[in-house]
Amino acid sequence: MLELKGVTRHFGGVRAVDGLDLLVPEGCIFGLIGPNGSGKSTTVNLITGLFPLTAGTILFRGERLDDLPTHRRLQKGIARTFQNIRLFGRLTVWQNLWVAQNSPEDRARRSFFARWLGGRRRARDEIAHLLEFSGLAHKADEFAANLSFGEQRRLELARALAARPRLLLLDEPAAGMNSEEIGQLRERILALRARGITILLIEHVMELVMGVTDRIAVLNFGQKIAEGSPAEIQADPVVRKAYLGGGAT
Amino acid sequence: MLDFLQAVSDGVLFGATYALIGIGFTLVFGVMHKINMAYAAASIGAAYSGLLLLEVMAGAPPAAVFACAFLAGGLLGWVVYLACFHFIPLSHPLATLMSTVGMLLLIDEVVVHATDGMPQNYPAMFDDVMLHAGEFTLRGDLLLVFGVCVAAMACLLALLYRTRLGLATRAVSQQPIAAQLCGIQVAQVNAITFVITGLLGGLAGAMIGASVGTLSPLLSGPLTVKGLVVTVIGGLGSIPGAIVAGLLVGGFENVFQLYRGVTERDLYVMLLLFAFLVFRPGGIFAPRGGRD
């Protein structure tokens, strides 16, 4: 599904990501973990095209992404959420989802004729479905800025889904959540996989990563130091030393 | 007292044009975080383009001249976007400021050459209508100017708050990076913002021509300054602020024109600006948490 080959990004003299190879198979939930500053968020920004690559190449479904601008990558089917929430605060929950419906199907649906053939109704149905899925149906007309923290996180996820992604990049979706909310997030992530969405999960919360992923890659100082199943990663001495801090699991 | 009321009402009616110019500055600032210094000059230039219609078709009705100015404004807005923003690195804080100042001077030069620097008569509508209430009068042409400007503002607000394009524009102004990642084409939204503000500016320019009766290239300098004053007083990025501040500045300057004469009035507008910068630097509607 997604393949990174020798992906490198320097900021001045700092090698934020350094020769990273990664293969995310279709239909899998892939975890990307690592200590703070290990290059996880930079990797997401490179995949979505917020900064250009210094070296290397990124393939999505066999197609090179390197030169595509951000909005084109979204149309190819890559959506993301943000570690620090970036909602459109002065738009309502419903409007946040409406402006994010930019997949090729949705664009085609907005053409003059399709509009009168039920395109509008389908767009509304889809928003209603997303609101239901993220438990925000009762907040549809609330300004996004007025939502609670947990609700804002859910809206971030729903907004990414409004673009009908094939690949969803979740950048620390559980940050600041309590364990009940993490449980709900886990259910949602599994439900999305069941719908055929491939997920790249970047997370600090081990409770979530170890419970939900099929495969994990560990970054440190911009390089991959290990890759394997959750059980293998937990047992890996290099990872324990670099990241889990010796005795922690 | 009656003189005072008369001056305030005439000034507020004319102030609607300042409000439109202020909206143009504020909208571009909200979306791109840039000041388009060429805006007022382009608006006056668009109003002049309306006169081209009279060249081609003598006796064209004033409404057609206004419509022509409106459309020319949209076209000029797009040209200004292409020339001053599209190919220039937006990360450089001064580059677009300088390119738009250059465009301001260029537009003024073109106008001066095309008209030999002579003021041109501008058509008006309902200029023979006067509504009387005792001693108090309302000029028909000013009422039309006010009505047209208010209608334009209402259309703009409906566009920004009710349509998908408007919501996308506001999304870009609130969270440019997230907007990009939601598949909104930021460059396209920017260009459309320039066309929309250009249309409003063309209309404002035509309305200024209609209420003053003449157009002169000398108008664009003071109008640029007034538009910026309105934008600052209203609060950068705030559309309601620009509307209120435009009407306020219109009424205010007309009162000082009455008591101190036309040559002195702009002095007091500048004093008003300084008063705001000192006591309320965020403007009347200081932006809330998120920009809009």
Side-chain angles (χ1 to χ4, degrees):
Chain A
M1 187 92 194
L2 179 74
E3 192 175 0
L4 277 63
K5 286 182 188 164
V7 163
T8 300
R9 171 70 199 190
H10 297 177
F11 290 108
V14 182
R15 295 177 172 194
V17 178
D18 193 8
L20 179 62
D21 295 317
L22 212 59
L23 182 69
V24 180
E26 180 150 14
C28 115
I29 300 180
F30 197 99
L32 190 59
I33 64 174
N36 277 325
S38 58
K40 307 185 296 294
S41 286
T42 307
T43 306
V44 174
N45 288 337
L46 292 172
I47 297 170
T48 50
L50 275 188
F51 335 118
L53 296 169
T54 306
T57 183
I58 299 176
L59 297 170
F60 180 64
R61 295 155 60 83
E63 217 179 323
R64 280 186 64 156
L65 287 183
D66 315 4
D67 300 324
L68 289 184
T70 302
H71 67 266
R72 295 279 302 134
R73 299 189 194 202
L74 184 106
Q75 287 167 17
K76 297 269 174 217
I78 302 178
R80 71 170 287 184
T81 64
F82 291 91
Q83 180 183 347
N84 43 351
I85 295 169
R86 289 176 186 267
L87 292 168
F88 308 126
R90 304 288 308 155
L91 263 52
T92 67
V93 168
W94 195 91
Q95 290 170 336
N96 264 275
L97 300 179
W98 194 46
V99 295
Q101 288 185 316
N102 289 314
S103 64
E105 298 95 308
D106 287 311
R107 289 169 157 269
R109 205 186 267 178
R110 283 203 289 278
S111 72
F112 187 77
F113 292 110
R115 238 177 236 205
W116 304 109
L117 296 172
R120 272 186 191 167
R121 203 196 61 243
R122 283 219 297 281
R124 288 204 190 105
D125 289 350
E126 207 146 299
I127 292 174
H129 175 81
L130 285 171
L131 289 170
E132 200 63 45
F133 176 75
S134 40
L136 290 168
H138 59 297
K139 298 274 184 178
D141 294 323
E142 192 78 54
F143 282 124
N146 298 343
L147 296 181
S148 75
F149 182 76
E151 289 165 344
Q152 292 195 348
R153 281 241 174 269
R154 265 142 53 200
L155 181 54
E156 275 258 329
L157 179 59
R159 188 180 62 179
L161 293 173
R164 302 161 178 259
R166 297 170 198 275
L167 172 68
L168 183 61
L169 310 174
L170 299 175
D171 194 356
E172 304 203 15
M177 281 190 171
N178 62 35
S179 66
E180 189 198 331
E181 287 169 326
I182 290 174
Q184 292 172 353
L185 176 62
R186 191 188 127 92
E187 294 307 312
R188 287 205 180 89
I189 291 175
L190 291 172
L192 291 176
R193 196 246 310 255
R195 288 193 208 168
I197 300 177
T198 309
I199 291 165
L200 181 62
L201 174 68
I202 286 137
E203 193 46 83
H204 269 306
V205 180
M206 286 303 131
E207 181 191 344
L208 180 64
V209 179
M210 294 302 171
V212 80
T213 52
D214 304 312
R215 200 169 172 80
I216 296 175
V218 187
L219 294 189
N220 200 16
F221 298 113
Q223 290 178 322
K224 186 164 75 176
I225 56 169
E227 187 177 334
S229 69
E232 287 164 4
I233 293 297
Q234 270 171 313
D236 191 318
V238 181
V239 176
R240 293 173 83 97
K241 185 156 172 289
Y243 183 53
L244 299 173
T249 46
Chain B
M1 188 59 198
L2 185 74
D3 285 349
F4 176 77
L5 281 180
Q6 186 69 57
V8 169
S9 96
D10 287 350
V12 166
L13 292 182
F14 184 67
T17 60
Y18 292 160
L20 275 190
I21 298 290
I23 287 174
F25 277 108
T26 229
L27 205 58
V28 167
F29 183 83
V31 172
M32 295 187 77
H33 251 206
K34 302 281 178 203
I35 303 272
N36 171 13
M37 289 298 288
Y39 182 56
S43 302
I44 295 295
Y48 269 102
S49 316
L51 291 177
L52 287 178
L53 185 71
L54 286 179
E55 288 285 313
V56 183
M57 205 173 101
V65 174
F66 300 161
C68 187
F70 175 72
L71 296 177
L75 183 67
L76 262 177
W78 185 67
V79 169
V80 169
Y81 172 74
L82 273 191
C84 302
F85 290 84
H86 192 71
F87 301 107
I88 287 177
L90 296 178
S91 53
H92 194 298
L94 285 180
T96 58
L97 194 64
M98 295 327 288
S99 65
T100 55
V101 169
M103 184 55 94
L104 185 168
L105 299 173
L106 178 74
I107 293 172
D108 272 0
E109 280 305 305
V110 169
V111 167
V112 168
H113 276 275
T115 62
D116 296 326
M118 300 296 289
Q120 303 288 312
N121 288 326
Y122 212 80
M125 280 171 87
F126 304 119
D127 46 347
D128 47 355
V129 179
M130 284 280 183
L131 298 180
H132 295 277
E135 296 285 298
F136 188 75
T137 55
L138 284 172
R139 277 165 55 191
D141 54 345
L142 275 184
L143 280 177
L144 177 85
V145 164
F146 187 75
V148 167
C149 291
V150 168
M153 291 173 209
C155 290
L156 175 72
L157 290 178
L159 177 81
L160 284 177
Y161 285 83
R162 289 272 170 269
T163 68
R164 179 180 190 89
L165 172 67
L167 291 179
T169 308
R170 289 168 59 217
V172 171
S173 96
Q174 291 170 26
Q175 273 292 352
I177 292 179
Q180 226 176 320
L181 287 161
C182 283
I184 296 171
Q185 298 182 41
V186 175
Q188 197 182 51
V189 166
N190 290 344
I192 292 172
T193 304
F194 271 83
V195 172
I196 290 170
T197 57
L199 290 168
L200 294 179
L203 202 58
M207 291 300 110
I208 289 170
S211 45
V212 177
T214 56
L215 275 185
S216 133
L218 294 176
L219 277 172
S220 69
L223 191 61
T224 305
V225 175
K226 293 241 170 81
L228 288 171
V229 169
V230 165
T231 312
V232 171
I233 291 179
L236 267 176
S238 164
I239 292 171
I243 296 172
V244 172
L247 302 181
L248 178 76
V249 168
F252 185 87
E253 73 166 17
N254 214 30
V255 167
F256 279 94
Q257 180 168 342
L258 171 69
Y259 292 115
R260 307 296 308 170
V262 69
T263 49
E264 232 179 87
R265 66 167 202 205
D266 285 355
L267 202 81
Y268 298 99
V269 175
M270 291 303 143
L271 285 179
L272 182 69
L273 172 66
F274 279 109
F276 262 91
L277 285 176
V278 172
F279 295 109
R280 201 170 165 78
I284 302 174
F285 291 79
R288 285 160 294 190
R291 288 187 289 123
D292 204 24

